[in-house]
């Protein structure tokens, strides 16, 4: 894994000193702003002088232009250099063989089209999205609904369910990885205790359908058991966020509507279906779009759970891009896949907006 | 009534299942090597070995990893607060040519997935000579569109009269921003700071790509290589995970209010 990629690059952390100065400066400044400690009269004078220069009558024609330039430059420079420029740069280098330095036009795209590993990674991404999004939404809505009806003790439960979300994916996935160890893992100990055969979980490349039906399906059909473990992990990790948001949405629904439905003789499921869900549709829509985008970008859980045993059955698009960069150093081809991913995400979001957005009921 | 008990029961079982990995992690973290390696359903150590914490720090340079992580996260947080405060104010309150256009462009960067710009960003960092430096870990994250958006919304909600009053008293934009406006949007700034800190602390992919030096590793990266480098001593691995998780959980509990407020508005306003 330890690849030394850039010969001639400084290995020392030579920028520490400048950085510490800069860091301390921003920290002090942010601290002053946050905790309302005035910068003292000296700071005030400096600001007043600056204001005088910026508001000089000479600039009257420009409105607040000079102040705007001063305030916007820090943010805009960073966004331009590390946000916009790389996007254009990605499209640009996707037309090149970076190592040979030659322009290859659309060759990289043709190559992607004919690359079974690329299509495999798309398949994994789609399985993953189909596996995580509906499960997370249904599960967290059910829990939020129960919590909402509960009243007392809601806070404790909410904290418990929210806990995975506030832990880092890497640390939580490390715990799961140990729990799912192939030989002596805790889950296998549980399986052993109830008389089920031990599984190899995260390194199992055969499909769940194959394992569940004892070979009725081909081993390559459907997602592998390893991928299902990753899906289960991410459902577990992301549900807390969805629960909190569903709870917020439920709390915002006026109680009178529900009461009116009860008076009209509606049962709990009718209320849920005809009153609550339509009024909750903006929340569902928001969660749907956010989790779809996230599903296409998932990296940390895939990387941590399959770190040393990476194989094509658990390689999603982002991992594949990463592999081009880190393991193969095929920058042009990696950028090509990245451009495809970007197009896919934007297209997907627009489609959802168009088709689902229409069904959303805003009060 | 029975339905009530049933829902309590379901929720309790669910909560136990959800938190089980963490309980298991903490129990295992303080087991002896033999206990931890055994295949058993027990997750309560016979003797709590607190010395495992020391051993974890000896097995891998987690001290150094934490130093890197906190340094990077602190500077990123301060910078994000600063850049979004300034830019948010400019977009909300200043009248200048192209305000709307520039703001739309800034928002557009939210649509660009980070993974797409990964390779170009790596090449940019390499060409700047920043490979294996703190600058590489910090500078690209010093501004983001979402924070700017949040701060701008907060400034828009302030009554315009404040500025008019300050202006009559001879106060310019900068002084007004620092003295009057920034303290008034403090809750938003805290939210922005929290997300910036957690985002930076929890990042994995970018540190893997722009650093290779052991001295430059952040905790998340350190944890992923600990599996291979530390030998598989499960108790130390769990101890390390617990140590990595601790700061974020602490921050969350200290600032729960801000988190819930921000997710509330996200859910309702869509």
């Amino acid at each position: 894994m330890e690849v030394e990629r850039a010969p001639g690059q400084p290995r020392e952390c030579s920028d520490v000193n400048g950085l510490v100065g800069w860091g301390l400066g921003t920290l002090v400044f942010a601290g002053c702003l946050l905790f309302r400690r005035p910068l003292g009269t000296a700071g005030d004078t400096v600001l007043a002088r600056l204001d005088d220069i910026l508001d000089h009558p000479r600039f009257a024609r420009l409105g607040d232009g000079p102040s705007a330039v001063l305030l916007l430059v820090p943010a805009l420079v960073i966004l331009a250099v590390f946000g916009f420029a790389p996007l254009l740069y990605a499209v640009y280098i996707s037309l090149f063989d970076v190592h040979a330095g030659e322009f290859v036009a659309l060759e990289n795209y043709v190559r992607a089209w004919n690359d079974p590993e690329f299509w495999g990674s798309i398949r994994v991404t789609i399985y993953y999205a189909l596996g995580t999004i509906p499960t997370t939404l249904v599960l967290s809505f059910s829990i939020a609904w129960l919590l909402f009806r509960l009243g007392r003790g809601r806070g404790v439960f909410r904290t418990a369910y929210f806990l995975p979300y506030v832990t880092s994916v890497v640390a939580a996935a490390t715990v799961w990885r140990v729990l799912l160890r192939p030989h002596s893992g805790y889950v296998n100990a549980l399986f052993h205790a109830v008389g089920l055969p031990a599984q190899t979980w995260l390194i199992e490349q055969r499909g769940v359908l194959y394992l569940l039906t004892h070979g009725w399906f081909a081993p390559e059909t459907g997602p592998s058991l390893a991928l299902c473990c990753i899906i289960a992990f991410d459902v577990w990790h992301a549900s807390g966020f969805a629960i909190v948001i569903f709870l917020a949405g439920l709390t915002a629904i006026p109680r009178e509507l529900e009461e009116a439905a009860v008076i009209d003789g509606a049962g709990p499921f009718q209320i849920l279906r005809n009153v609550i869900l339509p009024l909750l549709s903006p929340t569902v829509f928001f969660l749907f779009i956010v989790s779809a985008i996230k599903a296409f970008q998932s990296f940390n859980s895939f990387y941590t759970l399959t770190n040393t045993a990476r194989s094509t059955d658990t390689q999603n698009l982002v991992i594949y891009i990463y592999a081009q960069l880190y393991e193969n150093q095929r920058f042009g081809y990696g950028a090509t896949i990245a451009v495809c991913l970007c197009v896919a995400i934007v297209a997907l979001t627009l489609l959802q907006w168009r088709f689902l957005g229409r069904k959303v009921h805003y009060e | 009534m029975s339905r009530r008990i049933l829902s309590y029961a379901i929720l309790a079982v669910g909560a136990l299942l959800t938190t089980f990995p963490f309980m298991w992690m903490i129990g295992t973290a303080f087991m002896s090597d033999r206990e931890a390696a055994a295949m058993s359903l027990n997750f309560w150590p016979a003797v709590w070995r607190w010395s495992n914490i020391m051993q974890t720090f000896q097995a891998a340079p987690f001290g150094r990893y934490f130093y890197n992580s906190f340094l990077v996260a602190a500077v990123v947080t301060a910078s994000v607060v600063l850049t979004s405060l300034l830019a948010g104010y400019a977009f909300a309150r200043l009248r200048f040519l192209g305000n709307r256009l520039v703001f739309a462009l800034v928002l557009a960067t939210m649509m660009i997935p980070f993974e797409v710009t990964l390779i170009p960003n790596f090449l940019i960092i390499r060409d700047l000579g920043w490979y294996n430096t703190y600058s590489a870990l910090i500078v690209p994250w010093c501004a983001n569109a979402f924070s700017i958006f949040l701060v701008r919304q907060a400034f828009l909600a302030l009554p315009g009269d404040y500025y008019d009053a300050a202006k009559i008293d001879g106060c310019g934009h900068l002084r007004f921003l620092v003295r009057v406006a920034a303290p008034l949007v403090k809750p938003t700034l805290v939210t922005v700071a929290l997300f910036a800190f957690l985002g930076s602390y929890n990042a994995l992919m970018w540190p893997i790509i722009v650093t290779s030096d052991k001295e430059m590793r952040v905790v998340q990266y350190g944890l992923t290589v600990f599996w291979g480098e530390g030998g598989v001593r499960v108790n130390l691995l769990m101890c390390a995970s617990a140590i990595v998780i601790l700061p974020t959980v602490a921050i969350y509990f200290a600032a729960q209010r801000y988190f819930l407020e921000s997710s509330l508005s996200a859910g309702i306003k869509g």
Side-chain angles (χ1 to χ4, degrees):
Chain A
M1 288 294 287
E2 205 76 351
V3 195
E4 187 52 61
R5 246 169 308 122
Q9 296 300 328
R11 283 182 65 86
E12 268 95 70
C13 330
S14 52
D15 60 338
V16 170
N17 292 329
L19 186 88
V20 168
W22 174 40
L24 283 180
T26 37
L27 272 176
V28 168
F29 192 75
C32 290
L33 295 177
L34 277 179
F35 300 107
R36 213 176 180 159
R37 288 279 155 268
L39 298 163
T41 39
D44 229 27
T45 320
V46 172
L47 286 176
R49 279 294 297 149
L50 267 175
D51 270 329
D52 283 346
I53 297 169
L54 294 171
D55 286 339
H56 196 274
R58 203 186 311 154
F59 303 130
R61 218 158 33 86
L62 300 169
D64 296 325
S67 316
V69 170
L70 186 69
L71 295 183
L72 286 174
V73 157
L76 290 188
V77 165
I78 291 170
L79 287 178
V81 175
F82 298 103
F84 267 111
L87 184 68
L88 302 177
Y89 197 19
V91 177
Y92 177 74
I93 58 175
S94 75
L95 305 173
F96 280 83
D97 179 337
V98 176
H99 274 294
E102 28 181 275
F103 179 75
V104 294
L106 294 176
E107 207 172 278
N108 282 324
Y109 291 90
V110 175
R111 183 161 142 202
W113 184 262
N114 295 320
D115 178 3
E117 224 181 317
F118 171 66
W119 289 107
S121 67
I122 289 182
R123 205 169 66 126
V124 169
T125 309
I126 290 173
Y127 282 146
Y128 173 81
L130 293 179
T132 47
I133 301 167
T135 327
T136 311
L137 289 187
V138 171
L139 195 70
S140 38
F141 177 75
S142 318
I143 294 171
W145 177 247
L146 287 175
L147 279 176
F148 178 63
R149 311 247 94 183
L150 203 59
R152 188 176 296 178
R154 195 195 285 181
V156 178
F157 283 124
R158 190 179 60 190
T159 307
Y161 286 113
F162 201 56
L163 191 62
Y165 185 70
V166 297
T167 59
S168 86
V169 172
V170 177
T174 307
V175 177
W176 272 58
R177 206 173 149 202
V178 179
L179 284 170
L180 292 169
R181 262 181 309 166
H183 303 295
S184 52
Y186 194 86
V187 178
N188 271 343
L190 269 179
F191 264 47
H192 184 73
V194 295
L196 288 167
Q199 301 293 330
T200 46
W201 303 114
L202 290 167
I203 51 171
E204 179 61 81
Q205 296 181 21
R206 291 175 296 176
V208 265
L209 291 173
Y210 171 83
L211 294 168
L212 283 173
T213 57
H214 297 285
W216 197 77
F217 284 96
E220 308 81 55
T221 317
S224 70
L225 180 59
L227 182 57
C228 288
C229 291
I230 299 175
I231 290 174
F233 170 82
D234 274 313
V235 169
W236 171 77
H237 195 265
S239 288
F241 176 68
I243 290 173
V244 167
I245 285 186
F246 270 130
L247 263 179
L250 285 170
T251 320
I253 293 175
R255 298 306 293 258
E256 302 89 59
L257 293 172
E258 220 180 305
E259 283 157 14
V262 172
I263 292 169
D264 288 345
F269 281 100
Q270 276 175 307
I271 294 178
L272 186 65
R273 204 180 161 289
N274 297 323
V275 180
I276 304 290
L277 281 182
L279 287 174
L280 209 56
S281 52
T283 308
V284 178
F285 183 58
F286 166 77
L287 282 174
F288 199 88
I289 290 206
V290 169
S291 27
I293 293 175
K294 263 196 192 162
F296 274 77
Q297 293 178 286
S298 192
F299 175 81
N300 290 10
S301 52
F302 279 84
Y303 182 83
T304 313
L305 287 169
T306 63
N307 195 354
T308 46
R310 204 171 310 133
S311 69
T312 48
D313 65 301
T314 51
Q315 180 172 257
N316 69 0
L317 268 169
V318 180
I319 294 275
Y320 196 46
I321 294 174
Y322 166 81
Q324 300 310 319
L325 168 61
Y326 201 83
E327 279 148 26
N328 309 335
Q329 298 181 46
R330 291 191 296 213
F331 300 131
Y333 189 49
T336 306
I337 302 165
V339 170
C340 296
L341 175 71
C342 186
V343 171
I345 291 181
V346 171
L348 195 80
T349 311
L350 291 179
L351 274 179
Q352 286 173 330
W353 214 269
R354 180 129 172 66
F355 289 102
L356 288 175
R358 207 187 286 158
K359 294 206 174 109
V360 174
H361 175 96
Y362 292 100
E363 250 178 287
Chain B
M1 195 58 207
S2 65
R3 191 187 269 169
R4 215 178 159 69
I5 292 170
L6 185 68
S7 52
Y8 265 112
I10 296 174
L11 285 173
V13 171
L16 276 180
L17 279 176
T18 308
T19 47
F20 175 76
F22 298 116
M23 296 189 275
W24 184 83
M25 167 186 81
I26 290 168
T28 308
F30 298 106
M31 284 180 178
S32 65
D33 287 354
R34 187 185 296 177
E35 266 182 298
M39 179 174 172
S40 85
L41 292 176
N42 175 35
F43 63 93
W44 199 257
V47 181
W48 288 76
R49 288 168 193 272
W50 303 108
S51 60
N52 282 2
I53 300 176
M54 289 306 298
Q55 288 195 31
T56 308
F57 277 93
Q58 279 158 11
F62 272 101
R64 175 77 200 188
Y65 299 165
F66 269 109
Y67 172 78
N68 290 340
S69 273
F70 280 124
L71 178 73
V72 168
V75 180
V76 166
T77 307
S79 310
V80 167
V81 169
L82 187 64
T83 54
S84 18
L85 180 73
L86 301 183
Y89 182 80
F91 285 129
R93 286 272 172 244
L94 297 187
R95 266 167 306 211
F96 59 95
L97 192 69
N99 185 332
R100 283 172 165 229
L101 177 72
V102 179
F103 185 59
L105 283 176
V106 166
L107 284 190
T109 59
M110 277 207 282
M111 289 283 285
I112 306 171
F114 164 64
E115 290 71 17
V116 174
T117 55
L118 188 71
I119 291 175
N121 265 332
F122 166 74
L123 294 175
I124 290 172
I125 291 291
R126 198 190 59 179
D127 293 345
L128 285 171
W130 284 359
Y131 187 70
N132 260 333
T133 66
Y134 285 116
S135 305
L137 292 172
I138 293 170
V139 177
W141 306 103
C142 282
N144 70 72
F146 186 61
S147 303
I148 295 173
F149 176 74
L150 279 182
V151 176
R152 171 184 177 265
Q153 296 306 96
F155 278 133
L156 282 181
L158 290 183
D161 304 348
Y162 288 172
Y163 177 66
D164 298 336
K167 191 166 185 185
I168 290 168
D169 289 344
C171 183
H173 278 295
L174 289 185
R175 211 140 65 103
F176 174 73
L177 171 60
V178 173
R179 294 293 225 159
V180 185
L184 287 171
V185 296
K186 195 175 135 190
T188 310
L189 294 183
V190 175
T191 309
V192 164
L194 283 172
F195 281 115
F197 187 90
L198 290 181
S200 173
Y201 180 84
N202 286 336
L204 171 69
M205 190 200 239
W206 185 244
I208 292 181
I209 283 166
V210 295
T211 62
S212 64
D213 201 326
K214 265 191 184 181
E215 296 286 297
M216 293 302 299
R217 275 181 199 160
V218 292
V219 278
Q220 311 291 339
Y221 188 9
L223 188 58
T224 62
V225 291
F226 190 49
W227 182 286
E229 288 182 354
V232 190
R233 284 179 73 186
V234 175
N235 45 357
L236 298 193
L237 192 60
M238 289 302 97
C239 198
S241 304
I243 294 168
V244 171
I245 283 175
L246 199 64
T248 54
V249 175
I251 287 174
Y252 169 70
F253 280 112
Q256 203 168 14
R257 193 163 59 93
Y258 293 103
F259 275 101
L260 291 179
E261 262 168 29
S262 60
S263 18
L264 282 175
S265 55
I268 295 168
K269 289 173 195 154

